[in-house]
Amino acid sequence: MMATPNEELASVRSPEDVSADSEIFASLYPSLRRYAAIIGSRSDHPDDLVQEAVTRVLATTSLARLDSPEAYLRRTISNLVINGARSDAARRGRIRLVAGDAVSHDTYPSDLDVLDRLRPIERGAVFLADVEGRPFVEVAEILGCTPVAARLRAVRGRRRLRREMEGE
């Protein structure tokens, strides 16, 4: 009988690691889900992003063994969203090449439309700095950049939000 991936992970990690990971995940889940909901596109379900991030991390190590599991998981979520945005853009480009202007897109206006116009990394910087009130050193660690770059991404995101909201 073949072991499932969860059974394989459980056999590699000690019961203490599994217990500690469960506690860490339970404490971090609400903030990770909120972050995934903000930084992800509308087609990304926050729970799916969090689950994928945790799965990828647990495939290589225990959450308890990380210096900053929250920052590591947020960085993983950011990478998933950025990679997904790249894939979506490439797919839209291929569709345009094949279909030309014949493809129509339904639009559903929403207050979230403005946020969707920001790049995922800008959405993340604005959310972490302005909504969660995190210092830019921490924002930089999560986004995988320098504090100056994190501040610049937040400034650009705010500027773009302001322009978009004034234009509506």
Side-chain angles (χ1 to χ4, degrees), residues 7 36 43 48 54 71 78 81 85 90-91 113 121 138-139 148 151:
E7 291 169 339
S43 63
D48 292 343
V54 171
S78 296
V81 170
R91 187 180 64 252
D113 283 342
I121 202 81
E138 195 173 330
V139 173
V148 172
R151 184 181 311 273

Side-chain angles (χ1 to χ4, degrees), residues 38 40-42 111-120 123 161:
I38 292 298
S41 70
R42 283 199 213 153
D111 293 339
L112 298 176
D113 283 342
V114 175
L115 282 177
D116 282 344
R117 294 178 198 151
L118 293 180
R119 292 178 31 225
R123 269 197 309 269
L161 278 174

Side-chain angles (χ1 to χ4, degrees), residues 37-159:
I38 292 298
I39 194 170
S41 70
R42 283 199 213 153
S43 63
D44 294 327
H45 194 281
D47 291 324
D48 292 343
L49 288 170
V50 171
Q51 180 179 356
E52 181 64 24
V54 171
T55 300
R56 287 181 183 215
V57 171
L58 291 179
T60 58
T61 189
S62 168
L63 295 175
R65 294 182 184 167
L66 296 171
D67 291 335
S68 180
E70 182 177 24
Y72 197 89
L73 286 167
R74 284 182 182 225
R75 173 81 182 272
T76 304
I77 290 168
S78 296
N79 290 342
L80 288 169
V81 170
I82 290 165
N83 290 341
R86 286 182 189 136
S87 296
D88 290 347
R91 187 180 64 252
R92 283 191 306 271
R94 287 190 303 271
I95 289 172
R96 274 193 292 272
L97 284 174
V98 172
D101 292 332
V103 178
S104 69
H105 299 283
D106 294 332
T107 58
Y108 302 98
S110 167
D111 293 339
L112 298 176
D113 283 342
V114 175
L115 282 177
D116 282 344
R117 294 178 198 151
L118 293 180
R119 292 178 31 225
I121 202 81
E122 290 172 344
R123 269 197 309 269
V126 169
F127 176 76
L128 291 168
D130 295 345
V131 176
E132 290 195 351
R134 294 179 182 261
F136 282 105
V137 170
E138 195 173 330
V139 173
E141 181 182 349
I142 291 168
L143 298 179
C145 60
T146 66
V148 172
R151 184 181 311 273
L152 185 60
R153 287 175 174 154
V155 167
R156 286 179 182 159
R158 289 182 201 123
R159 207 177 288 146

